Amino acid sequence: MTTNAELAARFEEFADLLEADDVEYKPRAYRRAAENILAHPSPIADQLEAGNEEAVENIDGVGDAISSKIVEYVETGEIEELEELREDLPVDMAALTRVEGVGPKTVGSLYRELEIQDLDDLEAAAEAGEIQAVKGFGPKTEQNILENVEFARTIGQRQLLGEARPLADDVLEYLESVDAITETEVAGSIRRWRETIGDVDALAAADSGADAIEAFLEWESIDDEIESGPEKASVRVGDVRVDLRVVVPEEFGSALQYFTGSKDHNVRLRNYAIERDMKLNEYGAFDVSDVDDPDAGQRVGERVAGETEAEMYEALGLPWIPPELREDRGEIDAAAAGELPDLITQGDIRGDLHTHTEWSDGNNTIEEMVEAAAERGYDYYAIADHAEGPGVVGGMGLSDTEILEQVEAIREVDAAADIEVLAGIEANIDADGEIGLGDEVIDALDVIVASPHSALDQDSAAAADRLVRAIENPAVDVIGHPSGRLLNEREGLAIDASALGAAAAEHDTALEVNSNLRRLDLWGSAVQAALEEGAIIAINTDAHQPATLEYVRWGVHTARRGWAEPADVINAWDLEELRNFLH
């Protein structure tokens, strides 16, 4: 099956290859199409296979030329023009551009000058001092490349949560339709909502494992069968490996707990069980108080739980622990003390405080974005387009004069809207911690999100000083995507979440969990550290079109991984509480 993520990846590659060849304008069109394809609420290939070509033509940013390429790829598995571009520039673009400071144009230049095609070539050229000899490069650039090659290798091995989870949902939907299967759920890191995952792990309960596996292998979305047996099967769907394990119904709960992990959580839980004369494994919870050798086998002792996952925790006197918390960061002690958090849910979110429009680098009007927010049932919604400053993509930030003009436009939309529309801006935190907004602009705005976009290679001390200075600025309400990281692309600033949290708590500034699937910044452990210092957070989508307001799903689960409750999240508050908080 051709997934939306797979399609989007092809058009991202299209854009990169065109940019590497110095083609103007087209790369931006292909990137916009890729973003809209990825955010599309339903599988595009399914729509085409059902004969609904209009569904493709109606995707924002997809005109006739791109639409025909989508159809071509779904029907044939390739795009002729893309294949020609690959022949002209035979490089591993995805891997090379994961190196910090290496963009498509750099890849093009290095291929033409040094015939560099992959990470091994790049590393060898940097070690030999060949890159600094190329026009436009120098010793500092070469050293930066050399220092980041290994990181680029490691990050290429995992899928983004936001790209893999929709496939996991499709897997579950199919398995739930199989008569031989009585219960099913995903497991592993994807069930814990980690920001990146290796494979999609699924678990099913069935009286006959062979029948369940046979039915699974009939799923039409499977592109290739890797291996299969009477209880397990591994297949490839698009670019992702999917592993299915089948267990008998009475062991579904214990298997789900075991295969969800994490490993550290399970080790801690098993030790907790041992202290209480219990034994835990994928087959159940066993009372071994009367057993001479508890290690004599997997099913030793009296089996007291295993049919449901909740039973596995109840057998130890614990409440069920949400999967997002199972990282051995204190969750078992909290459960034992009755102090597990009442985690935030998507239904608690009342608005979005960081979104964009066509005034800067978004794709839609203020009215269209507000209408989409109202349809989601939000109480309030903020437009926060980019202010001008270092690192803003394509130089598309707004000047102070343009910001004031936009505030007037937002006020007009607010007067006619069914929800409260706030006038905001995403200011840039420069290398010294300044945000570059005039007093008149600050006074006119309702909410200011300040984010780092440049100088993301600062050392930890400089990064800390920079972000704390922005936090201390009385005009700043929210620090947006604090590290500036892009998953699988760049590491961003090395931040101390505890120190940031302490500063944010002192100055009543919120720290953002940016829900964009390529950011998820702050991440779970950082959120937890900040909250422990008394900070509060905002869960924003950074949406650039209506469809990406759906990204709030990823942000909420990321915040849950950080133990966030509704009271910790400013955009889960009512409007009066929010306005009292905003500076």
Side-chain angles (χ1 to χ4, degrees), residues 173-184:
E173 183 179 2
Y174 176 75
L175 293 175
E176 287 167 357
S177 72
V178 174
D179 291 338
I181 292 174
T182 60
E183 197 168 2
T184 187

Side-chain angles (χ1 to χ4, degrees), residues 188-212:
S189 56
I190 202 165
R191 186 170 181 238
R192 303 197 313 277
W193 298 85
R194 285 197 58 183
E195 59 262 43
T196 62
I197 62 103
D199 306 318
V200 172
D201 297 311
L203 185 72
D207 292 319
S208 170
D211 289 347

Side-chain angles (χ1 to χ4, degrees), residues 158 165 185-194 196-203 255-262 323-324 326-327 561:
R158 296 180 66 84
R165 182 69 206 206
E185 181 56 277
V186 291
S189 56
I190 202 165
R191 186 170 181 238
R192 303 197 313 277
W193 298 85
R194 285 197 58 183
T196 62
I197 62 103
D199 306 318
V200 172
D201 297 311
L203 185 72
L256 182 59
Q257 192 285 317
Y258 180 84
F259 289 112
T260 294
S262 66
E324 295 98 325
R326 300 181 197 175
E327 301 291 349
R561 286 177 55 79

Side-chain angles (χ1 to χ4, degrees), residues 56-240:
V56 178
E57 296 166 359
N58 291 333
I59 299 171
D60 288 342
V62 174
D64 291 341
I66 294 178
S67 176
S68 66
K69 290 178 174 63
I70 292 173
V71 173
E72 181 184 358
Y73 188 79
V74 171
E75 290 181 348
T76 68
E78 63 178 37
I79 302 170
E80 184 178 354
E81 187 177 339
L82 178 59
E83 295 302 319
E84 292 173 355
L85 289 171
R86 286 171 171 171
E87 289 181 10
D88 291 341
L89 190 63
V91 299
D92 188 347
M93 181 68 75
L96 290 168
T97 54
R98 285 197 296 266
V99 177
E100 177 70 21
V102 175
K105 287 188 177 181
T106 299
V107 172
S109 296
L110 293 178
Y111 174 74
R112 287 187 287 270
E113 296 294 329
L114 301 174
E115 296 187 355
I116 290 174
Q117 294 180 280
D118 55 27
L119 289 174
D120 290 341
D121 292 345
L122 185 67
E123 184 175 43
E127 289 176 340
E130 296 174 348
I131 291 176
Q132 61 180 288
V134 176
K135 183 179 180 181
F137 295 83
K140 185 176 180 180
T141 300
E142 184 176 70
Q143 184 61 30
N144 182 67
I145 288 172
L146 190 57
E147 290 174 354
N148 284 279
V149 166
E150 190 57 38
F151 176 72
R153 284 197 177 98
T154 60
I155 62 177
Q157 299 168 4
R158 296 180 66 84
Q159 297 277 331
L160 299 184
L161 169 68
E163 294 176 348
R165 182 69 206 206
L167 172 58
D169 294 339
D170 290 342
V171 172
L172 290 180
E173 183 179 2
Y174 176 75
L175 293 175
E176 287 167 357
S177 72
V178 174
D179 291 338
I181 292 174
T182 60
E183 197 168 2
T184 187
E185 181 56 277
V186 291
S189 56
I190 202 165
R191 186 170 181 238
R192 303 197 313 277
W193 298 85
R194 285 197 58 183
E195 59 262 43
T196 62
I197 62 103
D199 306 318
V200 172
D201 297 311
L203 185 72
D207 292 319
S208 170
D211 289 347
I213 294 296
E214 181 181 358
F216 172 60
L217 294 176
E218 292 174 355
W219 187 28
E220 61 182 14
S221 296
I222 293 173
D223 292 310
D224 184 41
E225 178 183 330
I226 300 171
E227 58 183 349
S228 64
E231 297 175 347
K232 302 176 187 177
S234 297
V235 301
R236 184 179 62 80
V237 180
D239 297 329
V240 182

